[in-house]
Amino acid sequence: MEEFIASLDVDQYLPGALAWATNILLALLILIIGMWVAGKAYKGMVALASRYPQLDDTLFKFFGSVIRYTILAFVGIAVLNRFGVQTASIIALLGAAGLAVGLALQGTLSNLAAGVMLLIFRPYKVDDFVEAAGKFGKVTEIDMFTTILQTFDNQHIIIPNSQIWGEQITNHSHHEIRGVDMTFGVAYGESIDAARAVIDKVLAEHPHVLKEPAPFVEVETLNNSSVDFIVRPFCEGQHYFDIRYSVPEQIKKGLDEANIEIPFPHRKVILVNETNQ
């Protein structure tokens, strides 16, 4: 054993060992610094959310994650390069793999792009009542790929963002003051002034109808069998549906008490007796 050890030429292997030790130390240093920079970049991007309250936190977290993983990818390439690995082929392989994944996930990427646009332009926010992609409900969550609605009958609806961004969006909570459009018809034989007085009285006594702006009550259409009023009371946004579903009943009762006829379709059936000649 002593002869074997004596026969070893330590000087022969020392440069290689030092080179490997140096590469390992440099790789660790690059890795530590890269992870630190990636973490700082992520936190810095997320911190920007406090400076731009009109943008959603989720958007900054997404961009922060993209920056962090991009930095880590370059750090990984730099570490491999320290050990003599040919990174050009790896980059080409990753590019090809990214292209294949992108083609396979076209729908997901379109949802992602739509999610970014929704979070930038913010046509709605959490707790808004919206009508989008043919669905209506309260927004409970917005992420990069989907928007989640809660309906009045307590359904949980998940809508891909691409379906929302490419269609009309109606935000019922955007303005603090809302007008509630309703139509009521009275018979031609009734007094228009008396009908308007009943409607005005109902709106004046409703606790959620605002005095300013004043309710709009005017004759809209002269139909075949009725004189139709357009009725538009104004209210705060949170009382919209209370007005929408309580005022029609109250107006119906008021018109009944005033003996004002509300016309409805009539059908006359004429029976003809035929005699055989």
Side-chain angles (χ1 to χ4, degrees), residues 28-89:
L28 289 175
L29 184 61
I30 293 172
L31 185 61
I32 292 172
I33 294 176
M35 294 179 66
W36 180 82
V37 171
K40 283 292 184 180
Y42 175 80
K43 292 179 181 179
M45 180 60 67
V46 173
L48 288 176
S50 59
R51 297 173 54 185
Y52 299 96
Q54 71 274 17
L55 297 178
D56 196 277
D57 293 348
T58 306
L59 183 63
F60 287 93
K61 291 179 180 178
F62 169 73
F63 286 143
S65 296
V66 171
I67 293 173
R68 178 172 62 182
Y69 290 118
T70 301
I71 293 174
L72 291 177
F74 282 106
V75 168
I77 293 173
V79 169
L80 292 175
N81 194 44
R82 291 304 310 173
F83 294 100
V85 178
Q86 296 298 322
T87 55
S89 59

Side-chain angles (χ1 to χ4, degrees), residues 58-130:
T58 306
L59 183 63
F60 287 93
K61 291 179 180 178
F62 169 73
F63 286 143
S65 296
V66 171
I67 293 173
R68 178 172 62 182
Y69 290 118
T70 301
I71 293 174
L72 291 177
F74 282 106
V75 168
I77 293 173
V79 169
L80 292 175
N81 194 44
R82 291 304 310 173
F83 294 100
V85 178
Q86 296 298 322
T87 55
S89 59
I90 296 178
I91 294 174
L93 181 61
L94 291 175
L99 178 61
V101 171
L103 293 174
L105 300 177
Q106 290 184 23
T108 302
L109 293 177
S110 65
N111 289 328
L112 175 62
V116 172
M117 300 301 290
L118 289 173
L119 292 173
I120 290 176
F121 292 100
R122 292 181 64 121
Y124 54 82
K125 60 184 183 299
V126 173
D127 292 334
D128 282 354
F129 286 94
V130 303

Side-chain angles (χ1 to χ4, degrees), residues 8-28:
L8 291 176
D9 187 358
V10 177
D11 295 335
Q12 178 182 355
Y13 299 101
L14 185 58
L18 290 175
W20 269 96
T22 302
N23 285 334
I24 291 173
L25 291 175
L26 288 175
L28 289 175

